[in-house]
Amino acid sequence: MTVRGARRATGAVARLGPGLVLCVVGLLLSRADVVLVGAALAGGLLVARRDLLDVSLAVGTPTTRDDTGDRRLVAPVTLTSDAPATVLVRIASPGADPVGVLVAVDGDRTLTATLPLARTGRVPGFAAHGIAWSDGLDSVALLEDVAPTDAIVLPVARRLEEVPVPQRLRGLSGPHGSRRPGSGGDLRDVHPFAPGDRMRGIDWRATARRSPELDEIYVRRTHATSEAHVVVVLDSRDDMAQDIAAWTGFGEPRPDRPGSLDLARSAAASLATAYLRRGDRVGLVDLGRSRAQLRPGAGERHLRRILHALALARPDHGSVGRTRVPALQAGATVVLLSTFLDDDAAEAALVWLARGHEVWAVDVLPPVGGVLPDGASGLAWRVMRLERALRLERLAAAGITLVDWSAPARDVPGPTPEQRLRMMSRVRPGGRR
Amino acid sequence: MIPRPSWVARARHTLLGPAGPGRPPRVRLEDVRTVPLLMLRVVAVLLVAGAYALLGPAVITWFILGPLLVSALVPGGTWAVLVGVTIVGAALAAGDPGLRPAALALLLPAAVHLSLLADAASRSDLRDVGVDVRLVGRALRSTVLVGCVVVPLVALLALVDTDLPGWLGVLGAVGVVGLGAVAVRLTSSSRAR
């Protein structure tokens, strides 16, 4: 049953009043034209269908749609009615202004609710409320409310032209040259033939030049190739919105402005895509969960696995969290994505550095705006900001490379993340270990 | 010291909410073409005013109808439209308008229907509610359907110049009392079905 008890709308019944008055006045004055005008007024209601049999309102599962450079959350809103009806639909989504439309329904009618979206992960969909009137606007009923359904929105990878090659490489094959001899592409040296050398590697010209009597045979030896192991560490313990009022629980974060976790997902997806497309191995560790970990892997399938794990990562205040810094594969390069609003992530970075990992720290705190707090809250925010700056300075002093992922949005003078990564890759040639 | 915003800025903030980028995004409904709610009210008021102007009333009577129609522009203003329609009907009965009732039979029902639609839309707590153009089309269609019957009859009456018998007036008064009782019964019942 979708109509929760229809009632007569008094306003529409009052509509009969002027028509009846004109009819009576016309009859009393023997004026047929006045009677006809009165009949026209009352006739509209009498002719219209007055039943309100079965009206339903439903909202489908939300998905995303990419318009030109603009991502939108989209969900179908379906209205069904057996008889012609008028339905006032109110569609709302947390953090956005709701919309209301008075719609004509006769049979099935599908509308599309859309909302600009910059957030990723688990995103709340659309809630719907409705009031239905019969065709004559004389019966009115409340429709059952529709609760919002969450959508899982995958992060979009930003195209990174150049990413730095980690200092430490692993494995016996891969896209990067290493310093070990092996079957790679780059020439290492020309060396006398030794057991284990391949016959195909014999350099007959060098042999003829160096040993005309063919006492020794020379082979061309090449550098082996290897791959980088990159472990993306996501600090999902908090998700800070751009509006500072939302930090303390007042108001919902806006869906068209990315929060810190959205920036972290975007950065992680961009870096993982760049490294995996190049042939390296990428793993994922969630710092906010005690067990969530994807071991380094390669390939498109692994990339999809990472994107889904990123989308599902969110602050879990009921989780115990990690009590120790997670152990990572030896030689892996750590990319730590955090807001660095507390000491835990920074301490973990220093521990990994001490264990011999190369560590890059990516700052994902979004540009903080809105109504900045005053009084004690304002003082707390200023202290927190200074502590964070000191924390980042300490990491830089320890030799950890910092990348500010939200610098362009904050209008901070300095390189964009792409420029910073390009600078890192050019300053340090990488590989060759 | 932070300067206080001007009264214009404060009024704008009260009426329109925070300006520009500070305002949250709005959910949009696609696949439906809408007209603004205020436009519906304005059209309804103009239809009543136009019908009254057709009857060529004295200027002084506009001082009664004018404020009434202005109050029809606010949410829940259908009562003002209904009273306005009654005044127009009374003015019609007072004169001998010839073929004008044919136009009135189209304008007045359309005004009432549009005003009712506007009142239905303003049941929402939202400021900017759109009204589906199909509903406007539906209102016009029902008006035209009724007009198809009434307008030729009015034209016929203007030509024939027939007077109704007096006993019909008494019958009509009895009928109105009966219909009023039915209306009271319907509005007091809690459930339609």
Side-chain angles (χ1 to χ4, degrees), chain A residues 1 3-18 20-22 24-37 39-41 43-44 47 50-54 65 67 72 77 84-93 95-106 109-116 126 131 133-137 139-140 254-257, chain B residues 20-34 40 78 82-83 85-86 88-90 92-98 101-102 104-106 108-109 112-113 116-126 128-135 138 142 145-147 149-150 153-154 157 162-166 168-173 176 179-180 183-184 186-187 189-193:
Chain A
M1 187 69 185
V3 175
R4 264 208 314 247
R7 291 171 186 274
R8 290 289 174 207
T10 51
V13 176
R15 173 187 172 184
L16 283 171
L20 294 178
V21 167
L22 284 191
V24 171
V25 169
L27 288 171
L28 289 175
L29 297 177
S30 300
R31 288 282 299 277
D33 53 348
V34 178
V35 174
L36 285 173
V37 172
L41 273 167
V47 167
R50 307 179 66 185
D51 46 352
L52 193 60
L53 295 176
D54 198 1
R65 184 180 76 195
D67 295 345
R72 298 187 82 86
V77 178
T86 302
V87 182
L88 177 63
V89 191
R90 183 186 191 277
I91 307 290
S93 184
D97 274 352
V99 67
V101 177
L102 193 69
V103 190
V105 186
D106 188 5
R109 179 110 191 247
T110 303
L111 313 177
T112 309
T114 70
L115 180 67
F126 298 99
I131 306 174
W133 283 267
S134 62
D135 190 27
L137 295 172
S139 297
V140 61
R254 288 175 52 158
D256 63 335
R257 289 187 178 171
Chain B
R23 203 163 178 181
R26 193 161 186 226
V27 179
R28 211 172 68 192
L29 268 179
E30 295 174 355
D31 305 323
V32 56
R33 282 189 301 155
T34 59
L40 236 60
T78 303
L82 293 175
V83 173
V85 164
T86 312
V88 175
L92 171 70
D96 186 14
L104 263 59
L106 290 175
L108 296 182
V112 172
H113 201 144
L116 277 172
L117 279 180
D119 264 3
S122 55
R123 289 279 290 267
S124 170
D125 59 339
L126 304 175
D128 306 318
V129 178
V131 177
D132 189 0
V133 289
R134 289 191 198 180
L135 283 173
R138 205 187 264 180
S142 69
L145 278 176
V146 174
V149 179
V150 175
L153 282 176
V154 171
L157 286 172
T162 311
D163 280 344
L164 294 173
L168 268 179
V170 179
L171 192 64
V176 166
L179 280 172
V184 168
L186 287 176
T187 50
S189 66
S190 60
R191 288 188 179 276
R193 290 180 292 118

Side-chain angles (χ1 to χ4, degrees), chain A residues 56 76 89 96 134 141 173 186 207 215 338 367 382 398 405:
Chain A
S56 66
V89 191
S134 62
S173 63
D186 297 340
T207 303
D215 297 331
S338 176
R382 285 201 293 277
W405 197 263

